[in-house]
Amino acid sequence: MKKKSILINPLTKFHHTDFELQHQKRPGVETDMLPKPDCGEESYEGCARLQGRKALVTGGDSGIGRAAAIAYAREGADVAISFLPSERQDAEEVKDLIEAAGQKAVLIEGDVSDELFCAEMVKRAHQELNGLDILTLNAGQQQFVRKIEDLDTAQLRKTFEVNLFSMFWTVKAALPFLEAGSSIITTSSVVAFQPSELLLDYSATKSAIIAFTKALATQLAPKGIRVNAVAPGPIWTALQISGGQPDEKIPPFGQETLLKRAGQPVELSGVYVLLASDESSYTTAQVYSVTGGMFTA
Ligand code: NAD
Ligand code: MG
């Protein structure tokens, strides 16, 4: 009799046919998505790789940030997440999941395009977690516009403020608290390497995040603080169905990759944990790609 394989085929591990066309108002909530993104709620198993650590994850209510927050908690970290008011339901779910892992959860509602909020968010995270040593800068907005003539200055400014300026403001506020051994992780994108004609402003921020990450890593290396970026490919999250992509791109979303499907947020959990943990103690100023095989170099 043939032995049953323990291997899992990456081509068919998750949803790999067309998605149903769906729309939500930005920023969208995960609870109403079909299928609901897999952020590791049922599957991520920790093994104490972040025991005693204190993490802040911006945009930790849904998608990639939620996957990181769940994984951090199951690895033994206390976790604060930031989110927007309309995302309260997703955020409460994450709080329950963090607490179910036996860790402290802190919910911080507000807009990271506001410098004062970024400072307040860091202060609260540090105070309520009783420390801060993992900064996962993940909040982002993505709004497609087909022609540069139609990209107004208000959107251009907001995309840069949310995706890029917030990183400067949050790091500035956090630095006094970060000791040697702390880790900063930014979220860039495959579009930093293969810019999208539909996402001029967004693509520009994601390239800038890589330059910021490398320059900051250089500046903070003498303090023993590591800084790395993650570059995801097409991942099934609320960002995409709330204005991130035009209708025609939603059903086949992700099928252009070598693995012929969209990634799920849980497929990034391992990289966010690795970069936060002491296992990556010799890794700084790097970009980790999780793209289903889309080239990033
Ligand atoms: P998501 O919508 O689930 O998460 C993005 C989060 O950003 C939201 O939950 C929201 O809380 C936060 N956010 C947006 N605007 C904000 C604001 N003004 N103030 C505070 N928070 C705000 O989507 P996601 O795909 O998990 O996005 C997470 C990160 O991953 C983003 O930086 C995104 O650019 C990046 N990314 C996503 C993909 C993808 O295909 N989904 C690919 C590459 C990179
Ligand atoms: Mg969200």
Side-chain angles (χ1 to χ4, degrees):
M1 204 172 68
K2 199 168 168 250
K3 215 174 93 194
K4 195 169 177 293
S5 176
I6 53 159
L7 299 179
I8 297 166
N9 186 340
L11 293 164
T12 51
K13 183 173 178 190
F14 291 103
H15 189 97
H16 54 91
T17 53
D18 280 5
F19 289 107
E20 202 175 294
L21 185 57
Q22 52 201 286
H23 293 283
Q24 286 188 37
K25 217 172 130 238
R26 208 171 63 213
V29 285
E30 194 151 297
T31 321
D32 297 337
M33 286 180 72
L34 265 175
K36 194 174 173 191
D38 186 336
C39 296
E41 292 89 342
E42 310 292 330
S43 58
Y44 191 90
E45 286 180 29
C47 52
R49 292 158 77 193
L50 299 174
Q51 202 71 56
R53 302 285 300 271
K54 314 280 182 185
L56 168 63
V57 182
T58 63
D61 57 291
S62 60
I64 295 166
R66 177 184 179 114
I70 293 169
Y72 288 171
R74 292 191 187 166
E75 296 289 355
D78 293 328
V79 186
I81 63 166
S82 83
F83 57 99
L84 288 166
S86 63
E87 300 175 304
R88 168 68 57 179
Q89 189 186 347
D90 279 347
E92 292 286 351
E93 280 180 19
V94 175
K95 180 172 188 275
D96 290 346
L97 289 159
I98 293 168
E99 288 173 352
Q103 299 302 135
K104 177 151 192 185
V106 178
L107 296 189
I108 309 176
E109 181 184 299
D111 187 332
V112 297
S113 68
D114 173 356
E115 181 172 5
L116 288 178
F117 170 72
C118 290
E120 187 56 34
M121 166 179 75
V122 167
K123 210 170 114 196
R124 271 195 60 198
H126 176 261
Q127 226 161 42
E128 295 179 39
L129 295 177
N130 199 21
L132 186 62
D133 50 64
I134 298 167
L135 206 54
T136 296
L137 305 174
N138 163 82
Q141 80 162 38
Q142 173 184 330
Q143 177 66 58
F144 84 88
V145 176
R146 290 187 198 273
K147 296 192 297 192
I148 191 166
E149 299 92 305
D150 297 333
L151 177 56
D152 62 49
T153 301
Q155 172 172 330
L156 183 59
R157 282 222 171 88
K158 186 83 175 177
T159 306
F160 272 80
E161 284 168 0
V162 174
N163 295 9
L164 183 67
F165 291 9
S166 67
M167 294 191 176
F168 286 78
W169 296 329
T170 307
V171 170
K172 273 173 83 171
L175 259 191
F177 303 128
L178 300 179
E179 294 175 12
S182 298
S183 172
I184 299 173
I185 302 162
T186 62
T187 302
S188 174
S189 168
V190 65
V191 302
F193 305 92
Q194 299 187 35
S196 163
E197 62 174 319
L198 297 170
L199 302 170
L200 260 56
D201 52 340
Y202 177 84
S203 301
T205 65
K206 293 296 169 176
S207 283
I209 287 168
I210 291 182
F212 169 71
T213 302
K214 292 180 178 176
L216 186 67
T218 309
Q219 201 176 96
L220 299 187
K223 294 183 191 286
I225 299 170
R226 298 180 299 103
V227 190
N228 294 286
V230 179
I235 311 298
W236 182 242
T237 68
L239 192 77
Q240 304 299 346
I241 53 101
S242 59
Q245 300 288 344
D247 278 2
E248 72 273 13
K249 300 257 183 193
I250 294 295
F253 183 67
Q255 291 178 21
E256 73 278 22
T257 64
L258 296 186
L259 296 176
K260 306 278 180 222
R261 64 167 173 85
Q264 293 293 328
V266 67
E267 296 184 279
L268 287 117
S269 308
V271 167
Y272 279 88
V273 167
L274 174 70
L275 293 175
S277 82
D278 190 50
E279 286 164 41
S280 58
S281 52
Y282 200 49
T283 301
T284 195
Q286 302 305 306
V287 183
Y288 268 60
S289 302
V290 183
T291 62
M294 290 178 78
F295 298 155
T296 54

